Amino acid sequence: MNKVRGILIGRMQPVHNGHMEVIKQILKEVDEIIIGIGSAQLSHELKDPFTAGERIVMMSQALAEKDVDPSRYYIIPMQDINFNAIWPSHVKMLTPPFSIVYSGNPLVKQLFCEEGYEVRQPPLYDRLHLSGSEVRRRILNDENWQELVPQASVDLITEINGVERLKNLSVKEVSDL
């Protein structure tokens, strides 16, 4: 029996409850999911504060919290290559075979459609609140960000002093005049 395998790629900066809901829904449609940790080369930036390794830990521990069978997913870091026409081939090189691409990104959808893949729009959950941008905004403003993320994300961000990291990254450089 061939397994139906789907792929979802996102920056996961940080892993939040919206990611978990999307993954839970996708797992109702496929046997296995490949979770691509996108822009894996980026970290320690205001928009991308966490390393690929930190995001992998957040994701794997959040999936364990949700009792997702580890045999049903693969978590793979994926660096950007900034060469759109060959990006689907780059993704294929890094992953097990897959037949369904889950993405809301118009460029990703176009690129994988051109390669003959079935592309599905994943459901969005409370996108106003459940986004990495909102989590990072709340961290910077000392608001309740913990309610938007799995406990695994809270634990990892606490362990690495991620709140302090993000706040330090948000400070504008003071020039010597």
Side-chain angles (χ1 to χ4, degrees), residues 21-134:
E21 289 299 321
V22 168
I23 290 166
K24 192 165 66 173
Q25 187 61 43
I26 291 171
L27 283 169
K28 292 178 182 177
E29 301 176 13
V30 298
D31 300 307
E32 296 176 344
I33 184 172
I34 302 163
I35 302 164
I37 303 295
S39 301
Q41 78 283 4
L42 299 178
S43 70
H44 294 79
E45 297 177 359
L46 197 53
K47 186 178 172 187
D48 296 290
F50 306 109
T51 67
E54 291 163 350
R55 292 177 277 155
I56 289 169
V57 169
M58 282 185 229
M59 181 60 72
S60 60
Q61 292 181 352
L63 290 166
E65 279 176 19
K66 300 282 184 190
D67 292 320
V68 177
D69 179 352
S71 71
R72 296 198 62 204
Y73 63 85
Y74 305 87
I75 304 171
I76 300 175
M78 298 181 175
Q79 291 187 335
D80 298 333
I81 60 169
N82 298 317
F83 197 158
N84 292 340
I86 64 170
W87 191 67
S89 295
H90 176 71
V91 171
K92 283 173 37 180
M93 177 189 72
L94 296 172
T95 63
F98 56 90
S99 55
I100 305 169
V101 176
Y102 289 87
S103 182
N105 181 301
L107 176 60
V108 171
K109 290 161 68 170
Q110 182 65 38
L111 293 173
F112 280 98
C113 280
E114 287 178 6
E115 293 293 317
Y117 283 92
E118 178 182 348
V119 178
R120 296 182 188 171
Q121 171 83 34
L124 297 177
Y125 294 91
D126 190 10
R127 199 63 182 137
L128 181 63
H129 297 105
L130 295 179
S131 72
S133 297
E134 177 62 11

Side-chain angles (χ1 to χ4, degrees), residues 127-172:
R127 199 63 182 137
L128 181 63
H129 297 105
L130 295 179
S131 72
S133 297
E134 177 62 11
V135 174
R136 295 188 306 275
R137 185 195 70 75
R138 286 189 184 191
I139 289 172
L140 289 172
N141 291 309
D142 295 318
E143 297 173 16
N144 184 357
W145 58 273
Q146 296 91 336
E147 69 183 356
L148 304 179
V149 301
Q151 187 60 46
S153 293
V154 173
D155 293 346
L156 189 280
I157 290 168
T158 301
E159 177 185 340
I160 64 166
N161 296 319
V163 169
E164 181 180 348
R165 179 190 298 173
L166 198 57
K167 288 184 177 198
N168 287 339
L169 291 170
S170 73
V171 175
K172 302 285 185 229

